[in-house]
Amino acid sequence: SQTIHQWPATLVQPVGSPLSLECTVEGTSNPNLYWYRQAAGRGLQLLFYSVGIGQISSEVPQNLSASRPQDRQFILSSKKLLLSDSGFYLCAWTTGRSAGEKLFFGSGTQLSVL
Amino acid sequence: AQTVTQSQPEMSVQEAETVTLSCTYDTSENNYYLFWYKQPPSRQMILVIRQEAYKQQNATENRFSVNFQKAAKSFSLKISDSQLGDTAMYFCAFISSNSGYALNFGKGTSLLVTP
C-alpha cells in the first residue's frame, strides 16, 4: 500500500535561518508531488508541484524553493526564513493518471518563524 | 483562473441535525472535478466526496451528499445526522479535467457539532 511520510511535525525557526522540509512517498512510482501551505484564514495555497525528477513548477513567487532529487522525494527549502513563512505545510501526491483522482496528504509540518 | 469561494467561515450544528456548507466556483471550463475535503483537529486531510462535472447525478457517501448546480457553479455539501466526529474544517476544491494539474482550494468552513 502507498504511504506518505512528512517530517518534522513541528518546527520553530528564527528569522533568517534556513529551512528544509522533507516528504517521501512509498508504494508507488512516478507520482505527482505537491507542496501546499495552510495559513490561518487562507485555506490551502499551492506552492509547488512536480511531475517528475528535477521538474518543479512554482505557483507563488516567494522565499521558498522545492527540489525533487529522487522519484519519491520532495523537499521544500529556504535559505533565509521570513516571519511570513510561518504556517502549516502539507505534502501531497497523486498518481497523475487523472485530474479527478484523490489527493493523498501527509500529516503536515507546523512551522513557526520567530 | 479558477476561484473557489466558501462564504461561511464558521458554522455550528447540533448533533443529529442536518447542515449544509456552501461552495461556489468560477471557471470557463466545461469538464472538471469538484471535491470536499475534511480536516479534523488532527489536521489530517480526508477526502469526503467527489463530483464529476459531466455527471448530473449528485454524489453521495453515506451521510454526506452534494447539491451540484452546474449552471449556477454551486457545489454545496449536506451532512445529515451530524455526529461529534464531523467537527472539522471543510474545504471545497476544484480541478479542471483538461488543464488542471493541482487542486484549487477554498478558504474553508469551520464546522462545530455540539451535543
Side-chain angles (χ1 to χ4, degrees):
Chain A
S1 63
Q2 302 96 346
T3 56
I4 177 169
H5 302 281
Q6 186 180 344
W7 69 94
T10 58
L11 192 60
V12 180
Q13 292 285 98
V15 169
S17 64
L19 172 73
S20 181
L21 302 182
E22 190 163 340
C23 171
T24 59
V25 179
E26 296 179 357
T28 189
S29 59
N30 197 31
N32 284 0
L33 297 172
Y34 306 86
W35 279 111
Y36 283 89
R37 177 170 61 198
Q38 184 178 10
R42 297 190 63 182
L44 273 73
Q45 179 186 36
L46 178 67
L47 301 177
F48 302 94
Y49 72 96
S50 171
V51 298
I53 296 174
Q55 301 179 59
I56 308 294
S57 295
S58 173
E59 285 299 298
V60 182
Q62 57 203 337
N63 187 42
L64 303 170
S65 62
S67 62
R68 185 171 177 173
Q70 300 181 43
D71 181 44
R72 290 169 289 178
Q73 183 185 29
F74 205 23
I75 298 172
L76 183 69
S77 303
S78 174
K79 292 182 179 178
K80 289 185 178 182
L81 284 169
L82 306 172
L83 288 173
S84 57
D85 292 324
S86 293
F88 188 60
Y89 288 82
L90 283 162
C91 180
W93 74 274
T94 66
T95 65
R97 285 194 289 264
S98 164
E101 63 179 305
K102 176 182 177 180
L103 189 61
F104 294 91
F105 285 89
S107 54
T109 296
Q110 179 63 50
L111 172 65
S112 299
V113 182
L114 306 177
Chain B
Q2 295 96 353
T3 57
V4 179
T5 302
Q6 294 179 249
S7 58
Q8 305 150 314
E10 297 179 351
M11 294 192 72
S12 179
V13 64
Q14 280 195 312
E15 209 173 358
E17 297 296 307
T18 296
V19 64
T20 299
L21 308 183
S22 300
C23 173
T24 58
Y25 57 94
D26 184 25
T27 184
S28 58
E29 305 269 353
N30 193 46
N31 298 315
Y32 49 88
Y33 295 87
L34 295 160
F35 299 79
W36 279 98
Y37 276 83
K38 166 185 176 181
Q39 187 182 42
S42 67
R43 306 191 83 173
Q44 180 65 52
M45 294 287 286
I46 302 166
L47 176 64
V48 176
I49 203 164
R50 187 189 80 148
Q51 176 78 41
E52 299 169 66
Y54 65 86
K55 287 188 175 180
Q56 294 183 337
Q57 186 174 8
N58 289 323
T60 62
E61 286 288 340
N62 301 314
R63 297 183 295 107
F64 298 88
S65 61
V66 298
N67 183 5
F68 174 47
Q69 301 290 328
K70 191 171 183 179
K73 296 180 182 176
S74 171
F75 183 61
S76 60
L77 175 70
K78 185 173 81 171
I79 306 175
S80 304
D81 186 26
S82 297
Q83 300 176 0
L84 296 178
D86 295 333
T87 291
M89 182 74 81
Y90 287 82
F91 293 99
C92 179
F94 169 101
I95 187 168
S96 165
S97 302
N98 303 319
S99 59
Y101 46 82
L103 285 181
N104 186 14
F105 287 86
K107 291 185 178 181
T109 295
S110 178
L111 177 66
L112 176 65
V113 180
T114 58

